[in-house]
Each structure stands twice: as C-alpha cells, then as structure tokens.
C-alpha cells in the first residue's frame, strides 16, 4: 500500500514568473509535509495518529528549482526572473530546472526566439548559482520553522498574517513631491506643439450624441476592398455568361432555317464546312 499525495497551488499575486514561484512553493511544501507513521505486520496495517507517534517527513533526495530567463531582440538581451510587464514584450522564455548538485532536471523553451548553444550554456551557469542560493534560503526557512514549532512560538500563517507578509497586490507607500507642479506643467505645455486644428464646438453627427474632434464616419453598408473585388468579378462573370448565351442563341438561330415542317432544314457550323440537308422524316423528335 502507498500514500497518495496531491499538491494544490493557489495564486495570490501574479507579478510574472509563475513557474519559478510555483516550483519553490511546491518543493518547500513537500519538504515541510509530514505523513502519519505506519506499521505493517503481515497483512495488518496500522496508521498512528500524531498523538501516538510523531509524523514522518517524505524521502526527498534533492530539490529541483526552476529558473526562468527572458530573451529580447532575438536573444540579444537576457533577463533573469522576468516580471509580468517584461513577459508581455519578451521574444522567448527558457526555463531550466536544476538541483544544488548541478544536475539538470528539465529544460523548456517557448516563444519565437532561436537559441544557440552558447546562450544555453550561459543560462545553465547562471542557474547553478541561483539554485544554490535558493536552496540555502529554503533550508534556513525550514530550520527556523522547525525551531519555532519546538519552542511553541508562532509559525506559519499565524506569524505571517499579523506581519502582513501574505498580501495580494500590495505596494509600499511612496512620497510624491507636489511643489512647483504648476510651473512644471506650464513648461511642458509651452514646449509642446500646438494642435493642428482646434474645434471650438463639439461635432454632432446624430441627435443625442456629441464628439470632440473630427471623428470617423460610419462605414456601415460599405463594402471592403476584397468584397468589392469579388463583386466586380461576379459581375464580370455574369456579363460574360450572358454574352456567351446570346452568342449561342444567335448561332442556333442562324443554323436552323426551317419555317415549315415540309421544308428541309439546313445545318451548318461554319461557312467552310459541308452543308447537310435533312428531310423532315429524318429529323429527331426533340429539336430546338
């Protein structure tokens, strides 16, 4: 029999680079987790409560940590741990998972940038340094938590919430200098170019609406360029088909020259071909 462990992550603040944050949170949660102690005698399995026996930690041999790299201008510029705004304008992303023994666990590349061997090797060297630093921080945090639990102090959420360590979209307060604001605004307006046209009154296109500026006329009902070309082609095809139909009817009229059933009908495709004269009894049943 085995234990089944499921790891759920809840995102509190999305400021970019979720992969690295999720990998750190996941490995710390697994290292911090304790399962109930179990004894097996034959086919009898006994699961002990925390009061009966101390819970047992998981057997984690190494800590794979992810480090993300953002590339700009087709790999010319490299950035570690991109923010949410930097991710919007990056060309590609490279994620390397490594442990403190310099063993690469996984590499994932995404985006439209093509990386060369030297760039990947450079990123792997940076990853080795960052993984060593992050692993040391994780081990110190776990040791401090274990120490606080033994001493009976506050730990976990009980310690983080009063100190406002767990927040969503929190920003530090910053002082804003409002002195000489009018003078600065006047200088900016004086340096700015005047507008091309000034509209004293709003433009009223329809009753009940108002708009400042010239605006754009409604294009409802107007055909796009592609639709105009298709309409022109269809109109040309229709005219060509009508012309062909009229030509065929004219040729049929010129080749069929019989007015009475008793008179022979002369069929001729052209002036150079042989003229064939058919008697009335030799005509087919259906004739135009």
């Amino acid at each position: 029999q085995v234990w089944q462990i499921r790891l759920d992550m809840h995102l509190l603040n999305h400021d970019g680079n979720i992969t690295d944050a999720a990998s750190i949170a996941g490995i710390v949660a697994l290292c911090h987790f304790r399962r109930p102690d179990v004894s097996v005698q034959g086919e009898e399995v006994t699961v002990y409560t925390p009061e009966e026996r101390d819970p047992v930690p998981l057997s984690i041999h190494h800590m794979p940590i992810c480090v993300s790299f953002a590339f700009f201008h087709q790999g010319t510029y490299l950035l570690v741990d991109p923010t949410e705004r930097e991710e919007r304008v990056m060309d590609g992303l490279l994620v390397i998972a490594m442990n403190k023994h310099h063993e690469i666990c996984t590499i994932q590349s995404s985006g439209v940038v093509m990386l060369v061997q030297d760039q990947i090797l450079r990123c792997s060297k940076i990853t080795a340094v960052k993984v060593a630093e992050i692993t040391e921080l994780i081990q110190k945090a776990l040791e401090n938590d274990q120490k606080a639990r033994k001493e009976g102090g506050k730990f976990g959420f009980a310690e983080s919430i009063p100190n406002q360590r767990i927040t969503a979209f929190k920003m530090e307060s910053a002082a804003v200098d409002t002195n000489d604001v009018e003078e600065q605004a006047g200088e900016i307006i004086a340096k700015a170019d005047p507008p091309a046209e000034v509209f004293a009154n709003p433009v009223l296109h329809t009753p009940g609406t108002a708009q400042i500026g010239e605006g754009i006329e409604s294009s409802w009902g107007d055909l796009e360029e592609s639709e105009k070309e298709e309409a022109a082609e269809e109109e040309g095809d229709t005219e060509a088909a009508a012309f062909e139909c009229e030509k065929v009817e004219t040729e049929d009229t010129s080749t069929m020259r019989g007015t009475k059933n008793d008179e022979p009908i002369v069929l001729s495709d052209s002036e150079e071909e042989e003229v064939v004269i058919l008697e009335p009894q030799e005509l087919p049943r259906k004739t135009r």
Side-chain angles (χ1 to χ4, degrees):
Q1 299 188 11
V2 297
W3 289 103
Q4 180 181 2
I5 301 176
R6 186 182 69 182
L7 181 62
D8 296 331
M9 297 188 182
H10 301 275
L11 186 64
L12 299 179
N13 185 359
H14 177 21
D15 194 22
N17 198 3
I18 299 178
T19 304
D20 296 4
S23 68
I24 296 173
I27 192 65
V28 172
L30 293 176
C31 293
H32 187 267
F33 175 73
R34 299 290 187 272
R35 66 168 179 83
D37 194 5
V38 180
S39 64
V40 180
Q41 296 180 355
E43 296 182 356
E44 183 180 356
V45 179
T46 304
V47 179
Y48 298 97
T49 62
E51 290 77 12
E52 296 175 347
R53 289 189 182 182
D54 292 336
V56 181
L58 300 178
S59 298
I60 298 178
H61 302 287
H62 63 95
M63 298 182 183
I65 304 298
C66 294
V67 180
S68 298
F69 301 88
F71 294 92
F72 304 88
H73 295 284
Q74 296 299 322
T76 306
Y77 301 100
L78 172 65
L79 182 65
V80 184
D81 189 12
T83 62
E84 190 266 341
R85 290 187 177 182
E86 293 166 345
E87 288 181 347
R88 293 184 181 181
V89 295
M90 68 181 180
D91 295 333
L93 182 69
L94 178 66
V95 180
I96 300 179
M98 183 184 296
N99 56 21
K100 65 178 181 179
H101 306 294
H102 297 182
E103 297 175 349
I104 296 178
C105 303
T106 181
I107 295 180
Q108 180 183 6
S109 178
S110 60
V112 296
V113 63
M114 299 295 293
L115 302 177
V116 297
Q117 181 178 358
D118 295 339
Q119 292 174 322
I120 299 177
L121 292 176
R122 179 188 175 190
C123 294
S124 63
K125 294 179 180 179
I126 298 174
T127 302
V129 177
K130 300 297 293 183
V131 166
E133 297 176 356
I134 296 173
T135 303
E136 185 178 358
L137 293 175
I138 291 174
Q139 292 175 348
K140 287 183 179 180
L142 293 174
E143 292 175 0
N144 294 335
D145 180 82
Q146 186 177 4
K147 182 179 179 181
R149 289 175 182 272
K150 288 183 178 180
E151 295 177 355
K154 293 183 178 181
F155 48 85
F157 285 98
E159 179 190 8
S160 301
I161 294 177
N163 297 332
Q164 295 184 355
R165 294 182 180 179
I166 300 177
T167 58
F169 301 102
K170 178 185 177 183
M171 297 181 64
E172 298 292 337
S173 58
V176 179
D177 186 10
T178 58
N179 297 326
D180 303 331
V181 174
E182 295 182 358
E183 296 179 1
Q184 295 178 6
E187 294 177 358
I188 295 174
I189 295 174
K191 294 179 181 180
D193 297 332
E197 297 181 5
V198 178
F199 295 90
N201 299 324
V203 180
L204 300 178
H205 292 285
T206 58
T209 62
Q211 178 178 344
I212 299 176
E214 186 176 357
I216 303 175
E217 296 181 358
S218 175
S219 61
W220 292 356
D222 297 340
L223 296 177
E224 298 291 340
E225 294 297 333
S226 59
E227 295 179 352
K228 291 181 180 179
E229 294 178 358
E230 293 178 358
E233 293 178 358
E234 291 179 358
E235 185 178 357
D237 295 341
T238 304
E239 294 179 355
F243 177 76
E244 292 292 337
C245 182
E246 183 180 356
K247 182 178 178 182
V248 170
E249 291 179 355
T250 305
E251 292 179 354
D252 292 344
T253 306
S254 61
T255 55
M256 298 177 64
R257 302 179 181 278
T259 55
K260 297 181 180 180
N261 295 334
D262 297 338
E263 296 179 359
I265 298 176
V266 181
L267 301 178
S268 175
D269 294 338
S270 62
E271 296 179 356
E272 298 178 358
E273 294 181 356
E274 182 181 0
V275 177
V276 181
I277 301 176
L278 300 178
E279 296 298 333
Q281 60 273 14
E282 298 178 357
L283 291 177
R285 295 183 179 179
K286 296 181 179 181
T287 307
R288 292 189 60 180

